Amino acid sequence: MVNGSPIRDGNDPFFGWRRSRHGEQTGKVIASDDAGGDTRLWACLIEKVSPLSALNQGERQRTDSGSLFPQSSARTIEVWTEQELSSAHALWWIVRTAADTALARILDRAIDWHIENIQPDNATNRPWSIHVFAERGLQGHAEAMLYAETLLHNTLSGTGEPEPFSAHILMDAAEGLDMD
């Protein structure tokens, strides 16, 4: 608990989302056009605005067939993958709250693409989108469940427990799955 709040202080849009989900006040979140795709999607979620500009269709067309945002030589695979998984995490919430089937298809394509192309153990120790992969796994997609399990294993490796930021990601994922 920080300053009486169960959610960590800071300007991070993810924590803004966490605070708003728990009925706490959040300031207006404005993500600049040069912000990462994940930051833009979290801001859309908090502000309850369409994520289509954040997804920027022109930018998406330059990516591989399913990734949400392009990987460039300016970002390492680790940074890009973490941003992609954070973006998918935010997009999952947007799909849930807006019930938008077009966005759901974009998310499904991105998750399938990650399962086929990106190893979960080579990029991040944070469990971004773990609930998205686990949910798909519970629907019978064994590779998706293995992806979720690897994300969890990576988060726990070393100390046997998640560091505080990852713990918030896991709580957010669990809260989302509990809604169903």
Side-chain angles (χ1 to χ4, degrees), residues 13 17 20-21 36-56 68-69 84-107 129 131-132 135 172 176 179:
W17 163 246
S20 71
R21 285 239 337 119
D38 58 335
T39 299
R40 294 191 312 261
L41 285 171
W42 287 112
C44 288
L45 184 59
I46 295 165
E47 298 299 324
K48 297 177 176 66
V49 298
S50 171
L52 292 178
S53 63
L55 288 170
N56 188 337
L68 293 171
F69 299 101
E84 274 282 304
L85 294 178
S86 174
S87 295
H89 192 120
L91 188 56
W92 183 90
W93 276 108
I94 292 168
V95 166
R96 285 287 193 251
T97 58
D100 186 315
T101 56
L103 292 175
R105 283 192 301 276
I106 291 170
L107 176 62
S129 295
H131 59 308
V132 183
E135 184 176 64
D172 188 69
M179 287 180 16

Side-chain angles (χ1 to χ4, degrees), residues 5 15-16 18-28 46:
S5 170
F15 286 109
R18 297 281 298 142
R19 284 192 297 275
S20 71
R21 285 239 337 119
H22 290 275
E24 296 180 31
Q25 290 289 347
T26 61
K28 184 160 180 65
I46 295 165

Side-chain angles (χ1 to χ4, degrees), residues 22-177:
H22 290 275
E24 296 180 31
Q25 290 289 347
T26 61
K28 184 160 180 65
V29 176
I30 299 172
S32 65
D33 289 339
D34 62 338
D38 58 335
T39 299
R40 294 191 312 261
L41 285 171
W42 287 112
C44 288
L45 184 59
I46 295 165
E47 298 299 324
K48 297 177 176 66
V49 298
S50 171
L52 292 178
S53 63
L55 288 170
N56 188 337
Q57 294 302 314
E59 186 175 272
R60 288 194 71 252
Q61 290 173 355
R62 291 191 313 263
T63 68
D64 288 317
S65 62
S67 64
L68 293 171
F69 299 101
Q71 204 277 329
S72 70
S73 59
R75 288 184 292 177
T76 65
I77 186 74
E78 294 84 5
V79 169
W80 174 77
T81 302
E82 186 153 336
Q83 288 177 344
E84 274 282 304
L85 294 178
S86 174
S87 295
H89 192 120
L91 188 56
W92 183 90
W93 276 108
I94 292 168
V95 166
R96 285 287 193 251
T97 58
D100 186 315
T101 56
L103 292 175
R105 283 192 301 276
I106 291 170
L107 176 62
D108 286 344
R109 230 180 10 256
I111 294 306
D112 288 341
W113 187 87
H114 275 276
I115 291 168
E116 292 174 20
N117 294 284
I118 304 296
Q119 294 293 325
D121 60 349
N122 75 347
T124 182
N125 288 333
R126 295 207 170 119
W128 291 115
S129 295
I130 189 170
H131 59 308
V132 183
F133 292 101
E135 184 176 64
R136 178 80 58 86
L138 292 171
Q139 296 167 351
H141 194 298
E143 292 87 359
M145 188 58 78
L146 287 171
Y147 205 103
E149 290 170 357
T150 302
L151 288 170
L152 181 60
H153 173 78
N154 294 346
T155 300
L156 302 175
S157 66
T159 64
E161 62 185 28
E163 45 83 26
F165 187 72
S166 292
H168 278 286
I169 296 169
L170 288 169
M171 286 188 288
D172 188 69
E175 290 168 5
L177 292 174

